[in-house]
Amino acid sequence: MSAAAKAKRSCPEATIVVIEQGQDVAYGACGLPYYVGGYNNDMELMRIRGVKDFRRSGIDVRLGQEALAVDPTSKTLIISSADGRYEESYDKLLIATGAGAVIPAVEGVRAAGVFVLKTLVDGASLKAAVDQETVRNVVIVGGGYIGIEVAEAMVAKGKNVAVVEAADRILSGFDAEITAIATQELQQHGVQIFTDESLKKILTRDGQACAVETTRGVYPADAVVLALGVRPRTQFLVESGISLTDNGAIVIDRQMRTNVPDVYAAGDCATVYHELLTRQVYIPLGTNANKQGRLAGENICGADREMPGVLGTASVKIMDLEAVRTGLTEQEAGRNGLAVRTVFVEAPSHAPYYPNPAPIHIKLVYDKDTQILLGAQLIGRQGAVLRGHVLAACIHARMTLSQIGWLDFSYAPPFAMPWDAVHVAANAAK
């Protein structure tokens, strides 16, 4: 919808049609765990802009319709609607079908009491279930961002919570030093963490989920949340000639163009340009999707703007902690053959002579020879995420540790020390 809105502003004379399979557009899905957890009980707050608003601006939004196939030769789509199938022609086409929740092919995943959390409908269903006092035990399969956010939501609802993760640790987008702190925080709030365990089946009683069986054990479950990641929703493009990656993501260039003339793609169904790796990668994040949508809307109308690039910057709340990552982790640098060094430090959030200082743990990843910052990860009770934003800017600017160590930050006892936590980490590294 960001592309549709930008295109309408860029070329108001154009006829812009949006085909949407569901009944909702332009909503903040990242707010769903907090809606389910009762931090916000008004779903309308997640709706960014309504269908009526888009239609009033001249955009033809068609709900409950699904694109079944694309024919680039004739420049047509086959669309399914309540009234049957029909063809729609295009001059320019944007594919922004996003990604769907991964649902494994194991016994019991379609039983009552098994949920995913991707859409507003998903959120309403899960909230209705966990609001019932009879739902006591909740098992979350998957320890990524969504899984951990749902775990916190379930703790807030007073549930017994278990997280099952197939990898050797949760939050694998961070390095081990950070995930160890996150794991301890969850456990201190009563969340059971089971790693190195894969889902075998979901056990049922009278059609209702009652337990989760893994490769290592069986855990009682009145509700099961599958948080196993996402997969691009591009199955309808397999025979279109549009290039896809191994996981089904649409391959695009920095102008959002596919390999097929006049066909663009953006968001979680597509790749995105990583400025450090200097190539297209798959990083499904709302920040990337919004930027890509805006660029696509401009370029469809004749502009030739490039995506500057992303760093995979992402943050997550873990009970009373906040964590952020930007750039490359040590693992990612190693997989890409980069010679790096790292430093891991603890520094105070603010001066000890102001109440409630808290430690911030910072890991920096930097080029072995040039000492240019390539990645940063932070976790702490306060001030970690916004400092991560600072370090993201430093990576964009290709700054060295020495330059970062001399940045002119403010100092006041409620906010920082004379040498801020960012200074401490940079100076420890250099």
Side-chain angles (χ1 to χ4, degrees):
M1 298 312 298
S2 62
K6 186 62 178 177
K8 193 62 182 176
R9 293 193 298 270
S10 299
C11 44
E13 72 286 352
T15 299
I16 299 176
V17 178
V18 174
I19 305 299
E20 168 54 44
Q21 185 178 6
Q23 296 297 318
D24 297 295
V25 299
Y27 58 90
C30 294
L32 287 171
Y34 305 104
Y35 170 72
V36 171
Y39 299 87
N40 156 42
N41 289 306
D42 184 1
M43 182 176 282
E44 292 305 309
L45 292 176
M46 288 184 285
R47 299 183 192 275
I48 299 166
R49 191 178 177 196
V51 173
K52 291 181 180 179
D53 297 319
F54 285 108
R55 287 174 175 164
R56 273 196 294 268
S57 70
I59 297 171
D60 180 2
V61 181
R62 304 178 190 177
L63 301 178
Q65 301 194 15
E66 180 183 4
L68 301 177
V70 176
D71 184 349
T73 303
S74 61
K75 285 192 168 184
T76 57
L77 289 85
I78 305 298
I79 298 169
S80 173
S81 72
D83 298 324
R85 296 187 178 188
Y86 69 97
E87 282 193 1
E88 182 69 68
S89 63
Y90 66 85
D91 297 310
K92 306 279 187 179
L93 172 67
L94 171 68
I95 302 166
T97 45
V102 171
I103 300 176
V106 300
E107 182 181 333
V109 291
R110 301 295 180 181
V114 180
F115 303 90
V116 296
L117 192 59
K118 191 71 175 65
T119 67
L120 295 183
V121 173
D122 296 336
S125 298
L126 180 56
K127 183 174 175 61
V130 300
D131 279 349
Q132 301 178 49
E133 292 186 4
T134 53
V135 175
R136 298 301 309 150
N137 301 307
V138 179
V139 175
I140 300 158
V141 184
Y145 295 124
I146 300 300
I148 297 309
E149 288 172 346
V150 171
E152 178 177 338
M154 295 302 102
V155 170
K157 302 294 288 186
K159 309 301 181 182
N160 303 318
V161 186
V163 176
V164 176
E165 169 58 49
D168 61 356
R169 55 193 176 83
I170 61 170
L171 295 172
S172 58
F174 290 84
D175 283 326
E177 298 94 328
I178 304 296
T179 57
I181 297 169
T183 298
Q184 183 180 40
E185 176 75 6
L186 288 162
Q187 290 171 334
Q188 287 175 346
H189 283 81
V191 178
Q192 293 180 286
I193 307 289
F194 301 100
T195 57
D196 286 314
E197 298 191 32
S198 299
L199 177 65
K200 286 184 66 178
K201 66 173 74 171
I202 295 172
L203 306 179
T204 61
R205 184 185 300 117
D206 300 326
Q208 171 75 36
C210 64
V212 168
E213 181 178 345
T214 74
T215 49
R216 289 192 173 186
V218 176
Y219 308 106
D222 302 309
V224 179
V225 182
L226 301 175
L228 294 162
V230 296
R231 181 175 294 120
R233 297 186 56 184
T234 57
Q235 296 90 336
F236 71 107
L237 300 174
V238 171
E239 297 181 1
S240 67
I242 296 171
S243 293
L244 306 175
T245 64
D246 291 342
N247 77 333
I250 302 167
V251 179
I252 59 174
D253 64 13
R254 296 175 69 178
Q255 289 82 27
M256 311 301 115
R257 299 176 301 198
T258 71
N259 63 307
V260 172
D262 297 322
V263 178
Y264 299 73
D268 289 2
C269 66
T271 60
V272 65
Y273 182 74
H274 196 293
E275 66 176 83
L276 295 180
L277 299 177
T278 63
R279 58 181 171 84
Q280 294 286 329
V281 297
Y282 185 62
I283 305 179
L285 291 171
T287 47
N288 300 341
N290 274 277
K291 292 165 187 164
Q292 287 184 311
R294 181 168 182 163
L295 285 175
E298 290 184 70
N299 290 343
I300 282 171
C301 289
D304 191 28
R305 294 194 60 190
E306 283 192 345
M307 184 78 170
V310 303
L311 295 172
T313 307
S315 56
V316 60
K317 184 174 178 291
I318 310 147
M319 307 309 301
D320 296 327
L321 295 179
E322 57 185 58
V324 62
R325 57 149 295 167
T326 185
L328 301 176
T329 64
E330 184 177 4
Q331 299 176 91
E332 291 166 345
R335 286 198 297 267
N336 287 278
L338 299 177
V340 298
R341 286 181 176 159
T342 68
V343 66
F344 183 62
V345 304
E346 177 185 318
S349 59
H350 59 259
Y353 32 88
Y354 187 85
N356 303 317
I360 298 176
H361 290 88
I362 304 177
K363 182 171 182 177
L364 300 182
V365 180
Y366 56 96
D367 184 272
K368 175 177 175 291
D369 298 319
T370 65
Q371 292 205 332
I372 290 174
L373 185 65
L374 299 177
Q377 300 161 65
L378 301 88
I379 188 167
R381 298 201 180 282
Q382 51 187 283
V385 167
L386 291 182
R387 284 177 170 91
H389 291 179
V390 170
L391 289 167
C394 293
I395 297 172
H396 278 295
R398 301 294 192 269
M399 292 179 69
T400 65
L401 298 173
S402 180
Q403 291 171 320
I404 296 168
W406 288 101
L407 283 171
D408 184 20
F409 295 146
S410 72
Y411 156 61
F415 309 116
M417 293 283 285
W419 292 96
D420 185 76
V422 169
H423 291 139
V424 172
N427 289 330
K430 72 185 178 62

